[in-house]
Amino acid sequence: MRCHPSPARSAHGWLYESHLGTEGLITERAVYADVLTRVWDLMQSGKDPDTVRDIHAKLMLFFNLGQHLPGGDLRGFQLHLWKKRGIFKNMISRQYCPKQSIPDKPIFSELKLSAEEIAEIDFRFEALRPYLKAERK
């Protein structure tokens, strides 16, 4: 299998990069679109830097799960959120090669999480609840 480097860096450096003058962000973390939009609006307005830091800190705590749970950092546990938030019906995703590189031909599998792993995801996600838009029905 031949692999290619992945150009994405997710939203890990977003706060720092914004201070360097970024003009936007496209991220695989679209499941957090409402939260990321709130951060963007606050950064653009210059209002409430304490809330910007609070949201970003909670996102980083949450994103840290990728170092500990199956599926890694890129999609991994986020698939549970897509399902939890009523967007997707399953946790099937494209898989990557080592170091998040992309294989020539797609490889698909369904992420399996234990009850304990799901509980940890949900526990950390609750910290973001004040910044979420209403859940889909």
Side-chain angles (χ1 to χ4, degrees), residues 35-49:
V35 177
L36 296 174
T37 297
R38 179 116 182 241
V39 170
W40 180 257
D41 289 345
L42 287 169
M43 286 190 311
Q44 292 297 294
S45 73
K47 297 177 185 173
D48 205 356

Side-chain angles (χ1 to χ4, degrees), residues 2-121:
R2 209 171 100 196
C3 298
H4 309 279
S6 174
R9 291 182 6 181
S10 306
H12 287 278
W14 190 24
L15 190 60
Y16 171 67
E17 291 166 6
S18 74
H19 296 140
L20 299 177
T22 59
E23 299 199 16
L25 174 75
I26 297 175
T27 178
E28 285 192 87
R29 300 192 193 280
V31 74
Y32 313 102
D34 45 359
V35 177
L36 296 174
T37 297
R38 179 116 182 241
V39 170
W40 180 257
D41 289 345
L42 287 169
M43 286 190 311
Q44 292 297 294
S45 73
K47 297 177 185 173
D48 205 356
D50 290 337
T51 298
V52 171
R53 284 188 292 270
D54 184 60
I55 297 170
H56 193 264
K58 289 174 178 175
L59 280 168
M60 292 303 105
L61 175 67
F62 196 76
F63 293 167
N64 177 267
L65 283 170
Q67 298 175 16
H68 309 289
L69 298 181
D73 190 42
L74 192 54
R75 290 198 178 93
F77 65 93
Q78 275 91 210
L79 294 171
H80 169 71
L81 294 181
W82 283 107
K83 191 173 175 185
K84 176 183 178 79
R85 296 192 79 184
I87 314 288
F88 296 158
K89 294 179 180 159
N90 61 52
M91 294 194 299
I92 296 172
S93 179
R94 178 177 50 141
Q95 300 303 303
Y96 288 86
C97 297
K99 298 182 182 179
Q100 302 299 336
S101 57
I102 300 168
D104 281 338
K105 294 182 181 180
I107 303 166
F108 298 98
S109 67
E110 184 158 12
L111 180 65
K112 303 291 184 196
L113 297 169
S114 70
E116 292 83 11
E117 291 163 342
I118 290 170
E120 184 65 23
I121 295 167

Side-chain angles (χ1 to χ4, degrees), residues 35 84 122 124-133 135:
V35 177
K84 176 183 178 79
D122 292 347
R124 293 190 192 195
F125 190 63
E126 280 302 309
L128 293 173
R129 188 151 311 278
Y131 306 112
L132 302 176
K133 287 196 173 186
E135 298 288 320

